[in-house]
Each structure stands twice: as C-alpha cells, then as structure tokens.
Amino acid sequence: MATGQKKIFGIVLAGGEGKRLMPLTADRAKPAVPFAGQYRLIDFAISNLVNSGLQQIVALTQYKSHSLDRHMSQTWRLPAMLGSYVSSVPAQQRRGKHWFSGSADAIFQSLNLIHDEKPDIVVVVGADHVYRMDFSQMIEEHIASGRGATVAAIRQPKSMSTSFGVIDVDPEDPTRIREFLEKPETCEGLPDSPNEILASMGNYVFDADKLVEAVTRDAADETSKHDMGGDIIPAFVRDGDCGVYDFINNDVPGSTPRDRDYWRDVGTIDSFFDAHMDLIQTMPIFNLYNERWPIMSQALNSPPAKFVRDARGSTGTMIDSIISLGSVISGSHVERSVLGPWTQVHSGALVVDSITFDRVSIEPGAQVRRAILDKNVIVREGASIGIDPEHDRARGFTVTASGITVVPKNGIVEA
Ligand code: ADQ
C-alpha cells in the first residue's frame, strides 16, 4: 500500500497465550478463539488491515498455533499476482534456541521479514480485539507528525488501568505522549473526565527504520521484558518521539452512530460473553452487516441452517440470536444466543443467553442458560448447564464471577 507513496507492512502479534480466557485457550491460541459463530478473533485485526489497503501482512504466531495457522492458510488469500499476501509465520528460533520471550522479541526474531520487504512504515496490531478501524487514517496522521511511533488510543474506565497501557499527553501538544505507564496499579484520571483514562489499544504505527532500531536495542537489554507496551513504546516516549492517535477521530465507511467507536478487549470470559451479546439486538451495538467495511472469514462449505418441527409437531424457534451454517433447531427454542456452525438443538431443548462453538449437540429436553459451550460439546438428554452455578462448579466446570459457565472442548454434560 502506498499512503503518499510510502510502502506499508502489517504485523499482527498473534502469539499470546490468553490465560484469562481459559479453558477456551486450553487447546488454541487466543487469536484463534471462535467469535460470533463463523469468525476467529484474528479475523477482526486482519479484516481491518486489508480494508485499510495493506497488502503485505504477517501474523507472528507461537503458542498452540496449529489451529490458528490452519485457519490463516485456509482463510486469508490475497492475490499473489499483485504481490499481496497474508501469511502466518510461526516462531522459528532464528536468533538462538529460545521462543519469543515477549511481543517485541517476536518482532526482533522476525526482522528478516522487514528486511525482505523494505517498508517505510510498519503497522503493528494485536489480534484479540473486536472493532473496526481504518488504519490509513492513523498512518496519514503518523506521517504528518514526523514522529517515529504513534499509538492508537481510546478512553476507558479508570478502574481498568491495570489492563492497559495508560497514556498521558503533553498539555502543550496533545498529539504527543508525555508519559506511558504499562498496566499501572494506580494512575490519574483525565483532566476533563477523572473517572476515565486514555488507554493504548495495542495498535501502533512506526517508521520502519526506527522500529528496527528500537527492537534491536531492546534485544540487547537484559533488564527488558521485551514487550511492546512495557518496553518499546516507553522508550519512544522517553525520546520524545511518540505520538497518539485518538480512535474517536477514526471514521470507518458504513459505521452506524452506535458502533462508530466500538472497541472491545475480549481478554476475559465475561468480556468475551458481553461482546457476543452486543451483536444480537435489532440495532446491534456492533454491526456485522456493514458491507463497506466487511469483517471477513473462512467461507464455510456447509448447508444452510434450518428450523423444523420435531416428530411430535413442536416447532423449532429462535429469536434475538445469531445462527451459523449447518445448524439445525428442531422442536426446541433458542433465545439471545449465538450458535456456531453445525450446532444441533434437539426436541424440547431450551438455549437462552448462551454461546456455542462448532459442532455442539444439545440433546432432547436439555436446558442451557448463560453458558459457553466449546467445540464438540454434548449436553446429554435432560441435562442442564448454567442454571445452578454452584452445581456447575462442583461438577468441575469453570464459572465466572458473573455466573457464566464454560464447558471445555469435547466436554460432555451428563444429566
Ligand atoms: P496485552 O494485550 O495485555 O496489552 P500482550 O499480552 O503482550 O499485551 O498481547 C498483545 C498482543 O501481542 C496480543 O495480540 C498477543 O496475542 C500478542 N503477543 C503476546 N505475547 C506474544 C509473543 N510472545 N509473541 C507474539 N505475539 C505475542 C497490550 C498492550 C497494552 C494495551 C493493550 C490493549 O501492551 O499497552 O493497552 O494491549 O488491549
């Protein structure tokens, strides 16, 4: 891509473990966790980069990356004829016998990719957020600023400062970051809104040569944790060379007034659940139907979903919900739920306020409420899940503080 004739390269950091999403990340990397039925989390970051016009994009993977690498190779194919690609690059120990020790080390160990492409600008993004963003607008601001690095930022509640990089801007020049604290225990609120902070979205734009220099210097520093948010961005800030891009100014084609500023870190089970519930209203808080900025994913070769009467003539009904291809709702009722591909809901079953991944089977008369059912889960005939959190905990299932029960991949819920 050329913004003002600049060559732009995209790096998606996709090697994180996602411990707080356990057990959904027991067997897959966090960016490979399914979202909204047919997507994987990484599809949001890559769709945003592709829609922004980037044509060379790599995803750096490491932790349990098999299903992520397979998803990437099956899903993301840009026209090679134009020199375009999206590829998944697993950790390769090119710099000695150790895996990526942090997100900055992931870039350091992958510098060969930057040397090969010789870009002017590198866009580095996380892989586990649900949002729409036009990066070309941020890149333009970055180039105009003349600074080496720019961090995308959004207002968040001050109580969440321990989850984010917290940005303090220069009052004389609000486009420059004066101080950057990575996940501080305490911090000041914003002058015009004391209960809010300006949080880093974990998305950065760099001048390529400055990024190469920064991660190379960082690699030689034995006191560093080799983390983009903890080490690299603070180093740019110390040099007075770091700008901020306010996400509120990002104007994505086709956005609705409701979802214009939508950005969710889905790093915990509760936030993951809540982001699904943002999809299912008539006027959703996050709109998946924006054709001018499509969120793309694998084209499933599956039959359409169907809703049918069971043998006794009871109808299969579903309301305020999303259903994926291959699913069958037979003589049962589904409400305020998001069902993944090939979900079967059998006669007399009830599914409310829940999420299923692919190939879940809910057998006759079973009841599912406030639950997340991972791939291949079976809820046996007459069984219930998510109705009594204490009972679910006693059966060994993960139950969050807000009462969401998670059944892990291949789990069976017995009656
Ligand atoms: P976190 O998301 O907590 O904070 P981190 O765990 O480093 O930071 O994850 C950032 C991205 O890097 C994720 O996409 C993750 O998958 C990836 N990643 C992590 N370790 C990696 C490794 N060893 N190799 C490759 N990829 C790796 C970050 C910033 C904060 C910011 C929040 C916004 O550090 O400043 O506020 O994102 O959510």
Side-chain angles (χ1 to χ4, degrees):
M1 177 213 190
T3 298
Q5 303 309 312
K6 301 274 188 192
K7 184 166 179 188
I8 322 272
F9 185 60
I11 296 181
V12 183
L13 296 168
E17 261 185 76
K19 284 198 192 111
R20 291 173 305 153
L21 269 183
M22 285 292 258
L24 303 178
T25 46
D27 196 38
R28 55 170 89 79
K30 183 170 160 189
V33 171
F35 189 83
Q38 72 190 55
Y39 305 91
R40 304 282 187 135
L41 282 179
I42 197 170
D43 293 330
F44 289 82
I46 300 181
S47 295
N48 284 327
L49 292 174
V50 170
N51 289 333
S52 301
L54 273 77
Q55 289 174 5
Q56 283 94 28
I57 300 164
V58 292
L60 306 182
T61 69
Q62 161 166 268
Y63 171 83
K64 292 189 177 162
S65 64
H66 171 65
S67 67
L68 180 57
D69 292 334
R70 193 185 48 203
H71 170 75
M72 293 288 294
S73 63
Q74 288 177 345
T75 305
W76 286 100
R77 298 202 193 104
L78 300 190
M81 225 174 157
L82 303 175
S84 310
Y85 58 85
V86 177
S87 62
S88 171
V89 183
Q92 297 170 56
Q93 301 200 341
R94 282 171 176 265
R95 301 265 179 172
K97 287 196 182 302
H98 64 275
W99 300 112
F100 301 153
S101 53
S103 50
D105 187 42
I107 296 181
F108 175 69
Q109 291 202 36
S110 311
L111 282 182
N112 60 304
L113 304 168
I114 297 181
H115 293 318
D116 288 350
E117 281 301 339
K118 299 183 184 56
D120 302 296
I121 301 284
V122 182
V123 182
V124 177
V125 303
D128 27 6
H129 298 105
V130 175
Y131 66 118
R132 280 195 176 81
M133 179 165 176
D134 181 353
F135 284 97
S136 70
Q137 297 170 26
M138 179 177 173
I139 294 166
E140 273 169 28
E141 269 200 31
H142 169 84
I143 294 169
S145 78
R147 297 194 179 101
T150 303
V151 179
I154 186 169
R155 287 181 179 222
Q156 291 289 297
K158 190 178 158 210
S159 56
M160 293 177 74
S161 71
T162 51
S163 306
F164 295 121
V166 176
I167 293 169
D168 183 26
V169 299
D170 180 354
E172 304 287 307
D173 177 1
T175 67
R176 191 180 76 87
I177 300 182
R178 177 171 68 173
E179 193 180 24
F180 186 94
L181 296 172
E182 179 71 356
K183 301 174 186 159
E185 287 298 328
T186 57
C187 64
E188 295 284 306
L190 290 168
D192 66 349
S193 178
N195 292 325
E196 286 187 308
I197 51 165
L198 193 58
S200 161
M201 297 165 69
N203 293 339
Y204 319 106
V205 176
F206 296 97
D207 283 3
D209 51 352
K210 296 251 178 89
L211 174 65
V212 171
E213 194 186 309
V215 295
T216 306
R217 202 178 332 124
D218 175 78
D221 179 355
E222 284 176 7
T223 64
S224 171
K225 289 190 171 142
H226 311 300
D227 184 52
M228 291 304 288
D231 303 289
I232 302 298
I233 295 303
F236 275 94
V237 171
R238 276 195 300 278
D239 292 345
D241 197 21
C242 195
V244 61
Y245 174 78
D246 196 336
F247 182 60
I248 201 139
N249 298 325
N250 202 257
D251 192 9
V252 173
S255 290
T256 65
R258 254 169 110 80
D259 78 357
R260 190 174 183 274
D261 306 324
Y262 190 93
W263 178 82
R264 294 289 187 277
D265 180 347
V266 286
T268 63
I269 296 289
D270 283 335
S271 60
F272 179 81
F273 181 86
D274 291 344
H276 277 86
M277 296 303 131
D278 290 343
L279 305 171
I280 56 176
Q281 291 98 354
T282 313
M283 295 298 286
I285 301 172
F286 186 72
N287 173 25
L288 285 172
Y289 301 85
N290 178 356
E291 288 184 293
R292 295 182 61 195
W293 199 269
I295 304 301
M296 293 163 273
S297 191
Q298 194 174 346
L300 292 174
N301 188 8
S302 300
K306 74 172 176 179
F307 300 74
V308 290
R309 281 172 225 273
D310 61 14
R312 289 176 312 199
S314 303
T315 48
T317 54
M318 187 165 185
I319 187 79
D320 295 335
S321 300
I322 285 176
I323 187 162
S324 307
L325 292 176
S327 297
V328 181
I329 311 297
S330 165
S332 49
H333 183 65
V334 178
E335 199 160 327
R336 291 188 305 276
S337 295
V338 177
L339 304 190
W342 297 84
T343 299
Q344 304 258 343
V345 188
H346 295 277
S347 188
L350 180 67
V351 180
V352 181
D353 295 319
S354 293
I355 299 166
T356 65
F357 290 1
D358 32 340
R359 295 185 190 271
V360 164
S361 176
I362 298 162
E363 293 188 346
Q367 292 209 19
V368 180
R369 270 180 206 269
R370 286 178 69 73
I372 301 175
L373 310 181
D374 202 330
K375 184 174 179 174
N376 295 336
V377 162
I378 300 172
V379 184
R380 289 273 190 238
E381 183 162 357
S384 66
I385 188 84
I387 297 191
D388 178 351
E390 284 316 313
H391 180 51
D392 290 347
R393 267 194 203 103
R395 289 189 285 179
F397 296 118
T398 300
V399 182
T400 69
S402 75
I404 308 293
T405 299
V406 187
V407 182
K409 187 172 163 183
N410 301 325
I412 296 179
V413 181
E414 300 287 356

